[in-house]
């Protein structure tokens, strides 16, 4: 089984990296840009065909994300 | 209009960061992990309600990704 975890900064958290990308794109002439925010993807492949969602949440909250400043969303990937 | 760009390493490209995450999770007792690969998210908000897909592709291929080693996928986000 394969899942994708989309990790994004909470809306209230400043994102200087995203702002740098926005500034850079504006400088390249893409003047339609309003805002850019950056996030992370983790594609995780498991040995088994079924995975306990509680285990995935435990993994995300304990190790893969910082729950203070980050949100995450889990989706299954079909391969 | 708001889009999300999912940037991932091409399957043939080694991903030491993803491997480090996998090793770390295995060390924490999540022994069901087979493989982890890391990627990037860019959430881009535009001033206009419609955006030319060719402009987005130009932006991705010219500035936001490295087409030699990275793939990208574009999706619209409803807010």
């Amino acid at each position: 089984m394969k899942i994708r975890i989309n990790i994004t900064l909470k809306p209230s958290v400043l994102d200087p990296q995203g702002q740098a990308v926005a500034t850079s794109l504006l400088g390249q002439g893409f003047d339609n840009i309003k805002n850019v925010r950056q996030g992370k993807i983790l594609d995780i492949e498991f040995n088994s065909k079924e995975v306990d969602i509680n285990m995935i949440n435990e993994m995300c909250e304990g190790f893969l994300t910082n729950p203070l400043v980050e949100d995450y969303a889990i989706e299954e990937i079909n391969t």
Side-chain angles (χ1 to χ4, degrees), chain A:
Chain A
M1 188 195 182
K2 212 168 163 182
I3 62 162
R4 167 163 293 183
I5 303 172
N6 292 308
I7 305 170
T8 48
L9 284 172
K10 285 186 195 288
S12 58
V13 177
L14 283 179
D15 179 9
Q17 272 193 299
Q19 282 173 346
V21 173
T23 307
S24 167
L25 285 173
L26 287 167
Q28 294 292 340
F30 296 99
D31 47 14
N32 195 10
I33 305 284
K34 190 175 174 191
N35 192 28
V36 177
R37 288 180 74 81
Q38 205 169 300
K40 263 183 297 189
I41 292 171
L42 287 172
D43 286 338
I44 304 186
E45 203 175 338
F46 295 95
N47 290 311
S48 59
K49 283 195 178 170
E50 296 275 317
V51 179
D52 180 8
I53 183 72
N54 294 321
M55 187 269 276
I56 299 177
N57 280 323
E58 191 194 323
M59 218 166 65
C60 287
E61 281 156 34
F63 303 104
L64 300 177
T65 72
N66 178 348
L68 276 179
V69 293
E70 289 173 330
D71 289 325
Y72 66 92
I74 300 163
E75 55 183 311
E76 195 173 336
I77 303 178
N78 298 312
T79 46

